[in-house]
Amino acid sequence: MNRMKITILQVFVAIACLFLWHISTTVPLWENGKPFADPFFFSTPIDVISRTIRDFVSGSIWRHLWITLLETVLAFLIGAIGGIIIGFWFARRELLAAVFDPYVKAANALPRVVLAPIFALWFGLGIWSKVALGVTLVFFIVFFNVYQGVKEVNPNVLANARMMGMNDRQ
């Protein structure tokens, strides 16, 4: 398919979404005069864009962007390092993996939305509750991929490495 055609269609979808958002937040549908999306809960796209521009001009957005970036990086680093270490550990110890398998799967099955208020209670409303939520998102993805990757290493590769003098740790 033509790249230009795809780009035009993507722009069209974005414009259509903005148009539907604007209509649902400004055009009254019922006799009470309120639009479909209650203005108390939903702002118009024009108001959102103007507020964003105002925040960039005043410089107040940079502090918020920095905090979000910090939360993202911390969550990624903690989740990835934990997922790599524990995934590798479980893959190398069959008994450990067998014992903890149902608990890991149950923890992964918990909806992250349910964890948000729990983390807010445990860690407060500051940075660490958001980092903890991000860690749960990253950890399980990394954990399962490392676990599966280590378990599926070709036995011939391992045998060749051992013949060349490598030990289990290497």
Side-chain angles (χ1 to χ4, degrees), residues 49-77:
I49 291 168
S50 66
R51 175 62 189 254
T52 304
I53 291 170
R54 189 173 51 223
D55 285 349
F56 270 109
V57 169
S58 71
S60 65
I61 199 165
W62 298 112
R63 178 177 165 270
H64 300 289
L65 289 175
W66 169 249
I67 292 170
T68 301
L69 178 65
L70 180 64
E71 291 167 347
T72 304
V73 169
L74 284 173
F76 177 76
L77 288 175

Side-chain angles (χ1 to χ4, degrees), residues 110-125 129 132-133:
L110 281 173
R112 302 307 184 258
V113 175
V114 171
L115 295 175
I118 294 171
F119 289 153
L121 286 173
W122 288 351
F123 302 115
L125 295 175
S129 62
L133 189 61

Side-chain angles (χ1 to χ4, degrees), residues 4-86:
M4 180 62 101
K5 182 180 178 182
I6 292 172
T7 303
I8 290 170
L9 290 172
Q10 289 172 337
V11 169
F12 175 74
V13 168
I15 291 170
C17 287
L18 284 171
F19 178 74
L20 288 173
W21 177 13
H22 180 73
I23 294 299
S24 68
T25 56
T26 57
V27 176
L29 295 178
W30 294 285
E31 53 275 350
N32 66 2
K34 287 190 177 181
F36 175 73
D38 189 350
F40 183 77
F41 296 109
F42 297 97
S43 186
T44 65
I46 293 168
D47 289 342
V48 171
I49 291 168
S50 66
R51 175 62 189 254
T52 304
I53 291 170
R54 189 173 51 223
D55 285 349
F56 270 109
V57 169
S58 71
S60 65
I61 199 165
W62 298 112
R63 178 177 165 270
H64 300 289
L65 289 175
W66 169 249
I67 292 170
T68 301
L69 178 65
L70 180 64
E71 291 167 347
T72 304
V73 169
L74 284 173
F76 177 76
L77 288 175
I78 295 169
I81 290 169
I84 290 169
I85 291 170
I86 296 174

Side-chain angles (χ1 to χ4, degrees), residues 2 4 19 57 60 89 92 105 115 130 138-139 146 153 155:
N2 184 350
M4 180 62 101
F19 178 74
V57 169
S60 65
W89 188 32
R92 300 292 293 147
K105 288 180 179 172
L115 295 175
K130 295 160 200 90
V138 174
F139 172 82
V146 168
V153 171

